Amino acid sequence: MRSHVPPASRPAAVAAVLLGLLLSLLTLTTPAHAAPTGFRVENGRLLEASGNDFVMRGVNHAHTWYPDRISSLAHIKAKGANTVRVVLSSGDHWTRNDTADVANVVAQCKQNRLICVLEVHDTTGYGEQSGAVTLSRAADYWISVQSALTGQEDYVIVNIGNEPYGNTNYSAWTADTKAAIQKLRAAGFDHTIMVDAPNWGQDWAFTMRDNAASVFAADPDANTVFSIHMYGVFDTAAEITDYLNRFVTAKLPLVVGEFGHDHSDGNPDEDTILAVTRQLRLGYLGWSWSGNGGGVEYLDMVTNFDPDQLTGWGQRLFNGANGIAATAEEAAIYSSGGGDTTAPTAPGTPAASGVTSSSVTLTWGAATDATGVTGYDIVRISGGVETVAASTTRTTATLTGLSPATSHTFAVYARDAAGNRSPRSGAVTVTTAPGGTPSACGVGYRVTGSWPGGFQGEITVRNTGTSAINGWTLRWTFPDGQRITNLWGGTATQSGADVSVAAAPYTATVPAAGSVTLGFTATRGTAHADPTAFTLNGAACSLS
């Protein structure tokens, strides 16, 4: 915010003018924007007050609908995130989050060493969605809770309003966004401000892209970050790469404020989103931790807010290539003040039990830490290389989707609230049992829809045996070069034509005479033959 100078007397004012003219002759410096007190934007990059370049790596959390799930922030941090985008309500569409609640959210973010992006959700789809409110109304809400935010500029970014226009009258976005920014600055907000795109956040008409420079220039503090939401509009690598690079080339700060692995309006290319944001060092915030409804439950990263039940989407975002665990760096503000730098003690060596052809339960002794252990990472060790197999807040975990008749080596790390990681525990090696018999499973495969170059399929896995299947891996070979682009109900890996799917936590158990169903999308060439053989935990399945 620019400072304001009180009126001076006429002689003093004349003297000041003369002095200013003299100084302008002696120096060639240009007036600067008011120095932000926390986060700031310089040369298209988001910087902390210390000058540290900060790249958001985190998720969205639906606090306003689940206020009793505030412990989710600790769980999100334990998975490796450095940022959380928190859904709030102005009270126009949902129950209002008052000043005390906002202050508590900020305190919980700080306690868990997370940067807090706070957004008002009531603006979603304004002009098209019944009950949605204007950005000006959202700015009024921020002003009403300002006392909870003043002094938190190092830790909080104010996202004025979620997806502030639908697909109607969205050309008004530019003027309304400028006015909302200026309203907050006039009220004394010194925070970095984030603004969402119109078109339900996806900017398919490029209103934000083409007007971002003028919106940035309208901020008297030059401290605005732009947020694009990537769902079905961004279903190709070319579209994603072009959009992100245009902002980088223009030196305008951009964050992917929401995205998913699938959506009702199309299939976003999450692999490209993750890869290109890493390449360009742009932030991303996946949607969302848990609690989705209305047909998009597949966007939950954990089941029923349980951090030990990562879904396929959660596993991809947290532990996959270019994901949060591999790329997140904690904000420097949490270590620059001499905070907790002491790692927890090593957990006890895990003990194995309940070994089947595809699963094992590990249990270990708790680690200790001065400020408290917040989670454990179980790693698989192979040839000296570690990969994260699971994360949990407990001292036990059941790992599924293991290959049958195979030796597996595991160890455990502990993590505290500061993100410090313990020494590795001792390792345990287990050998899974052989696979089942050919008569124990049946697989149904069918194409449910197709389009040029792609299709959607469904696979039903049936337990034809007399006892439950607890954990499974399904394998098959595509005959015509088909390639999985997205799968729900499990975690897919593909090497050439060979596909392997490990069960998701919610599909891992198949009762006797029961079944589970997987869905997927894939690319294809001109031919389109179905697979002819499937194995479950190494055993051949009948086709049904």
Side-chain angles (χ1 to χ4, degrees):
M1 182 185 71
R2 293 185 187 275
S3 59
H4 298 279
V5 180
S9 64
R10 180 175 175 80
V14 171
V17 170
L18 293 175
L19 178 60
L21 290 172
L22 176 61
L23 290 175
S24 68
L25 294 174
L26 296 175
T27 68
L28 295 177
T29 58
T30 56
H33 294 285
T37 57
F39 278 103
R40 68 180 187 273
V41 171
E42 284 188 9
N43 203 31
R45 303 296 304 170
L46 177 63
L47 307 181
E48 295 185 67
S50 63
N52 179 65
D53 188 274
F54 184 71
V55 180
M56 295 183 197
R57 289 286 183 267
V59 304
N60 288 262
H61 171 57
H63 172 71
T64 197
W65 303 306
Y66 300 98
D68 59 335
R69 299 290 189 171
I70 194 70
S71 61
S72 293
L73 300 189
H75 300 154
I76 290 166
K77 175 65 178 183
K79 299 293 186 192
N82 64 18
T83 305
V84 61
R85 182 172 179 256
V86 181
V87 178
L88 301 176
S89 173
S90 60
D92 293 288
H93 200 134
W94 295 282
T95 302
R96 183 178 186 272
N97 298 99
D98 61 18
T99 303
D101 186 45
V102 174
N104 183 52
V105 169
V106 173
Q108 292 295 319
C109 284
K110 293 169 68 176
Q111 180 178 322
N112 289 290
R113 301 168 76 93
L114 290 163
I115 296 305
C116 221
V117 177
L118 303 178
E119 61 101 343
V120 166
H121 216 73
D122 305 61
T123 56
T124 305
Y126 175 72
E128 186 173 346
Q129 176 64 48
S130 174
V133 298
T134 64
L135 282 171
S136 179
R137 175 62 184 161
D140 291 337
Y141 168 75
W142 292 119
I143 293 168
S144 76
V145 298
Q146 187 172 5
S147 61
L149 304 174
T150 300
Q152 305 300 328
E153 293 85 355
D154 282 317
Y155 308 94
V156 172
I157 291 172
V158 176
N159 189 176
I160 302 179
N162 183 68
E163 301 178 0
Y165 271 93
N167 296 323
T168 303
N169 299 325
Y170 52 84
S171 61
W173 175 90
T174 303
D176 287 356
T177 301
K178 291 177 180 179
I181 292 170
Q182 291 168 352
K183 179 182 277 192
L184 292 181
R185 295 297 185 220
F189 277 81
D190 292 325
H191 305 70
T192 295
I193 290 173
M194 183 183 289
V195 295
D196 281 11
N199 304 134
W200 298 95
Q202 296 198 78
D203 201 29
W204 59 262
F206 302 131
T207 303
M208 184 174 81
R209 187 196 72 181
D210 295 345
N211 293 280
S214 69
V215 171
F216 186 83
D219 179 358
D221 285 4
N223 196 16
T224 294
V225 171
F226 298 90
S227 173
I228 181 67
H229 294 182
M230 290 187 164
Y231 294 107
V233 169
F234 293 91
D235 57 354
T236 68
E239 291 167 325
I240 294 162
T241 302
D242 178 74
Y243 194 94
L244 298 179
N245 270 292
R246 283 176 184 262
F247 276 78
V248 172
T249 300
K251 296 189 182 303
L252 291 167
L254 182 69
V255 170
V256 181
E258 288 184 20
F259 70 107
H261 67 300
D262 195 13
H263 207 253
S264 55
D265 66 344
N267 182 20
D269 184 353
E270 70 275 12
D271 290 337
T272 297
I273 294 169
L274 291 165
V276 176
T277 51
R278 184 176 191 178
Q279 174 194 350
L280 300 177
R281 287 189 59 78
L282 299 178
Y284 63 69
L285 302 167
W287 185 277
S288 72
W289 178 246
S290 197
N292 285 287
V296 294
E297 291 83 358
Y298 51 80
L299 289 174
D300 281 1
M301 295 169 192
V302 300
T303 302
N304 195 30
F305 293 93
D306 184 347
D308 296 332
Q309 295 190 58
L310 274 175
T311 65
W313 168 223
Q315 182 70 27
R316 174 68 188 92
L317 184 64
F318 284 108
N319 299 323
N322 305 307
I324 289 171
T327 64
E329 298 177 12
E330 188 177 77
I333 187 66
Y334 290 118
S335 56
S336 60
D340 177 16
T341 59
T342 303
T345 62
T349 300
S353 62
V355 181
T356 71
S357 61
S358 62
S359 65
V360 61
T361 297
L362 301 178
T363 305
W364 56 90
T368 59
D369 184 77
T371 58
V373 173
T374 58
Y376 296 92
D377 298 323
I378 302 94
V379 295
R380 181 184 288 113
I381 306 167
S382 177
V385 177
E386 296 180 357
T387 55
V388 177
S391 297
T392 179
T393 58
R394 306 185 181 111
T395 56
T396 185
T398 298
L399 308 181
T400 62
L402 306 180
S403 298
T406 305
S407 177
H408 304 270
T409 301
F410 300 100
V412 182
Y413 289 94
R415 190 184 305 189
D416 66 15
N420 299 309
R421 202 182 197 196
S422 75
R424 197 175 78 187
S425 73
V428 62
T429 299
V430 298
T431 300
T432 48
T437 62
S439 61
C441 60
V443 172
Y445 178 96
R446 69 187 185 102
V447 173
T448 59
S450 63
W451 52 90
F455 70 102
Q456 181 168 325
E458 180 182 273
I459 299 173
T460 301
V461 179
R462 298 182 178 88
N463 181 356
T464 58
T466 57
S467 60
I469 298 172
N470 294 305
W472 51 263
T473 299
L474 181 70
R475 292 185 171 90
W476 73 90
T477 299
F478 275 129
D480 287 317
Q482 299 100 321
R483 189 157 193 89
I484 297 285
T485 56
N486 186 47
L487 182 141
W488 47 100
T491 301
T493 56
Q494 184 168 354
S495 177
D498 297 327
V499 181
S500 175
V501 176
Y506 57 92
T507 61
T509 299
V510 188
S515 65
V516 294
T517 300
L518 316 177
F520 68 92
T521 56
T523 59
R524 64 178 177 89
T526 54
H528 194 36
D530 294 347
T532 57
F534 293 83
T535 64
L536 191 74
N537 293 340
C541 297
S542 60
L543 293 178
S544 57

